[in-house]
Amino acid sequence: MLIRASFDEKVVVVSIVGMGGLGKTTLAQLVYRDEKVQKHFQLHIWVCVSDDFNVPKLARKIIHKVSGEECNHKNMEVLQQRLRKELGQKRYLLVLDDVWNENFRKWDALRNMLLDGGEGSRILVTTRNEKCSLVMGAQKPYILRRLSEESSCDLFEQKAFVGGAPKSATLVEIGKKIVEKCQGLPLAIEVMGCIMHDKSEEGEWQAVLENKIWNLQDAEEYIKPELWLSYVDLPTHLKKCFAFCAIYPKDHDIEKLELIQLWMAHGLIASQKGNDMEVEGREIFTELIRRSLLQGEIVTDLRRRVLLPITPYIRSSEKGRVCTMHDLIHDLAHFVIENECFTSLNSSAAHEIPIRPRHLNLLIDKSYNQADCSTTHTVLCCRRDSSVLSKLKFVRVLDLSHTSIKELPASIEHLHHLRYLDLSSTEIRKLPESICMLVNLQTLILYFCRRLSGLPKSITYMNSLRHLLFEPLYFKALPACLSQLQNLKTLTRYTVGDDAENNIGQLRSLNPFAELALDNLEKVKNADDARKADMGNKQLIQTLILSWIKLRWGNEDEYCLMENAEEVLGALKPSSGVKRLALRCYPGKQFPMWIEEMQQFQYLHHIELSECRECKQLPPLEILPILAYLTISGMDGIKHILNNSRGNALQSFPALKELFLYRMKKGGVWRRVKKQICLCFRASLKWRLLHAPS
C-alpha cells in the first residue's frame, strides 16, 4: 500500500490499528526502515503524536524533522508556507505514531498543510483507536491482531532461553502457562521472557506462575499484572532508576548520557567493584534495555545526520544515543512514582502542581500554581522567572536551558545539594567566581551559550565536577590547571596554551570519558611535548577531534603552517578503542604511521578529514572493517578516495554507508574523484556534496 498501490488522492493515509502492546510502532519502524521504502520516498519523517493533537505543534515538528532546524512560528499561514517550501513537491513518507485524535477538524487542518508533497506521498498512522483511523480517511486499515499461541511461545523462548540458558521440558511447559496469561500481547510476552531468562530453577519459574499478582484486575485499572511483575522482579537499585524515568513525558527521546547523569545526581547509582559511576550507569541502562523496560534507539536519517561532522564540531556517539519507553511501561513507571513527580505532558494538561513535589518537569511554558518546593529535588525546563531558585533548598537537578536568563542569581551559590546544572542556550555572559561554592556539582552543561566567552578561574576548585560540557567554538580560552579536577570524566574541549598551566601536558592526569577536542595544536612545540598528553592510554575516549587552529568557516586565508606537525600528530596516537576521529586543519604533508596502519582501529566508524590542504593522498581508510561515515572537506589535492586505486574496489570500505564531500574545488581533480565514486562503490552508498563544482 505504501509503494505499489494506486489511489485517487495525491497524499494517501495508511493506518496500523491495534491495542497497546501489540507492536504497532515496531511494525511501523520495520516498514519505515525497509530498503525499498527508503529508496522509493524522497523524504522520510517520523513524528510522535500521543494524545496532544496540536496542529501548529505538529507542523513545527514536521518542519524540524525535514529541515533539521528549530521552527518557533505559531502563525498557521507562516507554517503552511514553510511546509510548502520544505516538502517542495517531493514524495514523502510521514509516520504519525500513536495518534488518539477523533476530531476531524483538527485532522483536516493538518492534512491541508501536507498536500504540497509529490504524487504518491503517504502518511502512515499508528493508533489504538479504529475511529481515529476512520476520521483520518485511512485506506484499508491494517488491523494488528494478538499473537497466536505458537508465535507467542516462540517469542517467549527467544527471550527466556537466549544465550544458552537451561531449557528443560518442565521449564518449557511452565513457560507455556506463563505465555497463556500474557494473552498474545508481544510486549508482555517479551517482558516476561526477559524476567524468566534470569531464573534457572523450576521452583523459581513455578513461583512466578503462581504469583498472586496475576489475580489482580489490571492493577489500578491500567497496569497489567505481567508488567507489574516485571517491576517487582527488579533489584532495588534498578527499581529506583526505572521509576525515575517517569519524569520524562510519553514518547520522549531519552538521551542515555543525560539519564545516567540524572541518576548520579540523585544518588541512584552506587559504584561497585571499583567501577566509576558512569560505568555502573551504562550497565543499568543496558539491563533496562535487555529487560525491555527501555526500548533501543529509533535510527532515522535525520538523527544520523546530527552525528555527522557537518558542523564545526561533532558530539560523542554516547551523546547521540537515545532510547524511548513504551506507553504501557511508562504508565507502570508513573504508577510507581506518581505522588512524587509532576510532568506537564502537553498543552491541555492540568497545571496544578501537587503539594511538595519531589520532581518537576515543566515542559510547557505555562503559569503554574505556587507549590511548596522546599523538598523538590529535580526541576527540568524551568522557563519562568528565576525567583523560584531561592526556594529550592534541596534541589539536586536544575535545568535552566532555553531561558532568557543573563546572569546567575546570587542565591545559586546556596544550592549546596546541586549536582546537575544545565544552562544551555541561555544569554548568560559570565559565570560568577562564586560558582565554586557548588561543591557537589557533578555535571555542568553550557551548550550554545554564545555570549559566554570563558569559564571562571575558580572552577578548578570544584572537585566533584565530572562532566564539563560546552561548545568548542565559543570559548576563547580555558582556565589554567584544569588537571586539578581529578574526577573530571567528560571535557568536550581543551585549548592548548603556551603556559605551563595550560599546555598539552596538563592532559596527562586526566582520563576523559566519551569525547575530547584538542584545539590550537600548533602550540605544541615537538613530539616530546605531545607525548606528555599520554593519549594512547586514554582508553575511555570514543570521540577525538584534533585541530591545529580554531576553525573559522569561510575564512580562506587563515591557515596554520607548521613544520613539526607530522611528528606532533604521530605522538598523539589515540587508543585503539576510539570510535570517531576528526583531523582539522592539519598542516602536514603526510599522515603519520599510526594512520597508515589503521587496521588496528577495529571500532572506528566515523572519520572526518577537514582542511588538511597539504595532504595529496588519503590514508588506507578502505581497510577499516566498520567505517560507516566518511567526511572529506577542503582537501583539494586528493585525487582518489581509495588509497590504492588499483585495488579491488568491491572489497574496499565494507561497511561504508555515507560519504560526505565538502568544499572540493579543483574541477579536474573533483571529476576524477566523482568518477571513482560512481565506478567503485555499490549503489546503496549514500553520498552528498556541498560546494563541489559541477
Side-chain angles (χ1 to χ4, degrees):
M1 285 192 289
L2 290 180
I3 297 177
R4 294 188 178 88
S6 59
F7 301 97
D8 295 334
E9 295 91 345
K10 182 180 180 181
V11 178
V12 174
V13 179
V14 179
S15 65
I16 302 174
V17 182
M19 65 184 297
L22 279 179
K24 299 181 297 296
T25 300
T26 301
L27 177 58
Q29 289 173 16
L30 291 173
V31 172
Y32 183 86
R33 290 183 285 193
D34 181 80
E35 187 175 347
K36 292 180 181 178
V37 171
Q38 287 285 315
K39 289 181 179 179
H40 181 75
F41 294 99
Q42 296 167 284
L43 295 176
H44 311 87
I45 313 161
W46 185 290
V47 174
C48 293
V49 181
S50 197
D51 57 352
D52 182 23
F53 202 91
N54 182 302
V55 176
K57 180 179 177 181
L58 290 174
R60 290 193 293 269
K61 280 186 177 183
I62 294 170
I63 291 169
H64 172 61
K65 293 288 185 178
V66 176
S67 67
E69 301 173 358
E70 291 289 344
C71 178
N72 298 315
H73 296 295
K74 296 183 179 180
N75 182 279
M76 290 289 285
E77 186 176 344
V78 174
L79 291 171
Q80 173 72 78
Q81 293 173 354
R82 183 70 189 276
L83 267 176
R84 183 178 292 117
K85 174 187 174 183
E86 297 298 342
L87 297 179
Q89 295 299 315
K90 296 174 183 174
R91 185 167 60 242
Y92 66 80
L93 170 62
L94 168 62
V95 178
L96 297 177
D97 187 33
D98 195 21
V99 179
W100 291 77
N101 174 61
E102 296 181 1
N103 187 320
F104 176 77
R105 289 185 178 181
K106 287 185 177 182
W107 161 242
D108 194 51
L110 180 63
R111 184 184 67 86
N112 289 332
M113 300 177 76
L114 299 171
L115 296 179
D116 290 302
E119 193 75 33
S121 294
R122 297 286 188 268
I123 300 174
L124 177 59
V125 177
T126 69
T127 179
R128 300 186 197 182
N129 190 339
E130 194 166 356
K131 182 179 178 181
C132 169
S133 174
L134 294 173
V135 165
M136 300 179 76
Q139 300 286 343
K140 301 177 182 178
Y142 182 81
I143 309 298
L144 206 56
R145 308 294 182 188
R146 297 174 186 263
L147 293 181
S148 66
E149 182 180 347
E150 181 180 358
S151 297
S152 297
C153 289
D154 287 343
L155 177 59
F156 176 82
E157 291 186 7
Q158 286 174 18
K159 296 293 182 180
F161 301 122
V162 69
K167 184 181 179 181
S168 68
T170 304
L171 294 185
V172 170
E173 285 304 312
I174 298 174
K176 288 181 179 179
K177 295 177 182 178
I178 292 174
V179 168
E180 186 178 342
K181 292 179 179 290
C182 295
Q183 301 177 356
L185 285 179
L187 176 65
I189 295 168
E190 193 172 336
V191 168
M192 289 307 302
C194 293
I195 291 176
M196 306 317 295
H197 175 265
D198 296 328
K199 305 181 187 304
S200 57
E201 301 295 328
E202 293 179 10
E204 294 177 305
W205 281 56
Q206 194 66 35
V208 171
L209 177 62
E210 297 173 356
N211 196 298
K212 294 180 180 180
I213 291 176
W214 291 111
N215 299 323
L216 296 178
Q217 295 299 317
D218 286 3
E220 295 296 320
E221 297 184 351
Y222 65 97
I223 303 301
K224 294 188 174 297
E226 54 270 34
L227 300 185
W228 182 245
L229 268 173
S230 70
Y231 172 76
V232 172
D233 187 66
L234 289 172
T236 302
H237 69 290
L238 281 182
K239 285 180 180 176
K240 294 178 180 179
C241 291
F242 165 73
F244 181 81
C245 296
I247 196 172
Y248 294 101
K250 288 184 178 180
D251 298 319
H252 188 81
D253 285 345
I254 304 172
E255 286 194 5
K256 176 180 179 179
L257 277 187
E258 177 187 86
L259 180 58
I260 292 173
Q261 289 162 2
L262 294 181
W263 284 340
M264 289 167 47
H266 288 286
L268 303 181
I269 301 175
S271 183
Q272 301 172 1
K273 311 169 196 174
N275 288 340
D276 285 330
M277 286 190 288
E278 291 79 5
V279 174
E280 297 289 340
R282 292 202 303 276
E283 291 179 358
I284 291 172
F285 182 90
T286 301
E287 181 63 12
L288 292 177
I289 290 279
R290 188 189 72 78
R291 290 173 176 259
S292 297
L293 296 177
L294 293 177
Q295 296 177 328
E297 179 181 9
I298 301 172
V299 181
T300 67
D301 281 343
L302 181 63
R303 182 171 293 154
R304 191 185 304 134
R305 284 176 197 157
V306 174
L307 304 180
L308 288 170
I310 298 172
T311 56
Y313 67 95
I314 53 179
R315 298 273 182 91
S316 80
S317 55
E318 292 284 329
K319 179 67 180 174
R321 193 166 296 166
V322 300
C323 67
T324 56
M325 182 178 270
H326 191 282
D327 284 0
L328 297 181
I329 301 294
H330 188 279
D331 288 341
L332 171 62
H334 190 265
F335 173 68
V336 173
I337 202 175
E338 182 176 14
N339 294 327
E340 299 181 9
C341 176
F342 174 82
T343 302
S344 57
L345 295 176
N346 54 61
S347 58
S348 62
H351 300 122
E352 289 295 320
I353 299 177
I355 299 174
R356 306 185 76 180
R358 180 69 63 92
H359 307 292
L360 291 175
N361 191 343
L362 308 178
L363 281 168
I364 306 302
D365 189 11
K366 293 283 185 181
S367 295
Y368 299 94
N369 59 301
Q370 294 295 316
D372 181 0
C373 298
S374 60
T375 61
T376 298
H377 286 187
T378 306
V379 180
L380 298 181
C381 302
C382 182
R383 296 175 184 174
R384 287 278 153 183
D385 63 85
S386 57
S387 61
V388 69
L389 298 184
S390 60
K391 305 174 184 178
L392 301 173
K393 298 179 181 179
F394 298 102
V395 70
R396 289 169 172 251
V397 172
L398 181 59
D399 177 5
L400 297 174
S401 64
H402 297 90
T403 63
S404 58
I405 187 171
K406 294 182 179 179
E407 61 180 12
L408 285 179
S411 59
I412 199 164
E413 66 183 61
H414 301 300
L415 304 181
H416 300 306
H417 299 277
L418 192 63
R419 287 162 170 77
Y420 179 102
L421 178 61
D422 189 352
L423 300 172
S424 299
S425 299
T426 60
E427 300 296 313
I428 284 183
R429 298 174 181 271
K430 183 180 180 181
L431 293 177
E433 293 293 336
S434 60
I435 198 172
C436 67
M437 300 296 290
L438 302 177
V439 293
N440 290 307
L441 193 68
Q442 298 171 342
T443 301
L444 177 60
I445 307 177
L446 302 166
Y447 284 129
F448 297 107
C449 293
R450 291 180 170 86
R451 299 183 183 276
L452 185 64
S453 59
L455 296 172
K457 295 179 181 179
S458 63
I459 201 169
T460 57
Y461 297 105
M462 300 176 70
N463 294 325
S464 297
L465 196 62
R466 303 176 73 88
H467 303 283
L468 180 56
L469 310 171
F470 54 87
E471 226 61 67
L473 295 184
Y474 302 138
F475 290 1
K476 296 176 182 177
L478 295 178
C481 300
L482 278 180
S483 60
Q484 294 179 13
L485 299 174
Q486 294 298 309
N487 290 312
L488 197 63
K489 301 299 178 184
T490 305
L491 178 64
T492 48
R493 173 190 176 223
Y494 185 84
T495 301
V496 179
D498 297 311
D499 302 328
E501 293 85 0
N502 54 18
N503 63 25
I504 198 168
Q506 289 286 320
L507 290 173
R508 174 176 288 275
S509 59
L510 297 177
N511 189 17
F513 165 75
E515 61 182 304
L516 176 65
L518 293 181
D519 286 349
N520 291 359
L521 288 174
E522 69 275 8
K523 294 191 177 181
V524 182
K525 297 178 181 179
N526 50 52
D528 289 339
D529 283 350
R531 276 189 280 270
K532 293 177 182 178
D534 197 23
M535 295 300 296
N537 285 322
K538 302 191 186 304
Q539 303 292 333
L540 300 178
I541 293 179
Q542 299 177 3
T543 298
L544 179 63
I545 305 172
L546 302 176
S547 302
W548 267 255
I549 60 169
K550 184 177 181 180
L551 294 179
R552 295 179 184 174
W553 299 94
N555 189 340
E556 301 295 338
D557 298 324
E558 185 171 3
Y559 185 70
C560 174
L561 294 174
M562 188 174 66
E563 295 180 357
N564 65 344
E566 293 174 10
E567 63 177 69
V568 168
L569 181 56
L572 292 175
K573 178 181 178 181
S575 72
S576 59
V578 69
K579 295 180 178 180
R580 303 154 66 91
L581 176 67
L583 300 181
R584 294 173 176 167
C585 299
Y586 169 59
K589 294 183 178 181
Q590 293 182 331
F591 292 103
M593 289 300 296
W594 64 263
I595 294 185
E596 297 291 327
E597 301 170 354
M598 297 190 79
Q599 64 269 22
Q600 65 180 293
F601 294 94
Q602 297 296 308
Y603 305 102
L604 194 57
H605 56 75
H606 278 68
I607 291 182
E608 175 197 339
L609 301 174
S610 297
E611 308 295 334
C612 304
R613 300 182 187 178
E614 300 300 312
C615 295
K616 307 301 180 185
Q617 186 176 14
L618 294 176
L621 305 177
E622 64 269 17
I623 65 176
L624 290 171
I626 66 168
L627 180 64
Y629 306 102
L630 173 60
T631 296
I632 301 172
S633 169
M635 297 180 64
D636 304 332
I638 297 300
K639 299 179 181 180
H640 302 286
I641 298 297
L642 296 180
N643 182 272
N644 181 1
S645 59
R646 294 171 294 180
N648 186 349
L650 296 178
Q651 297 179 0
S652 301
F653 294 104
L656 194 64
K657 295 179 180 178
E658 291 196 17
L659 174 63
F660 182 83
L661 300 169
Y662 180 57
R663 291 167 40 150
M664 307 290 282
K665 294 182 179 179
K666 294 183 179 179
V669 171
W670 164 243
R671 280 191 288 273
R672 285 195 292 271
V673 171
K674 186 176 180 181
K675 182 178 179 181
Q676 188 179 50
I677 294 172
C678 296
L679 291 176
C680 297
F681 291 108
R682 58 194 180 279
S684 61
L685 175 74
K686 294 182 181 179
W687 54 288
R688 292 176 285 153
L689 327 172
L690 281 179
H691 304 296
S694 57

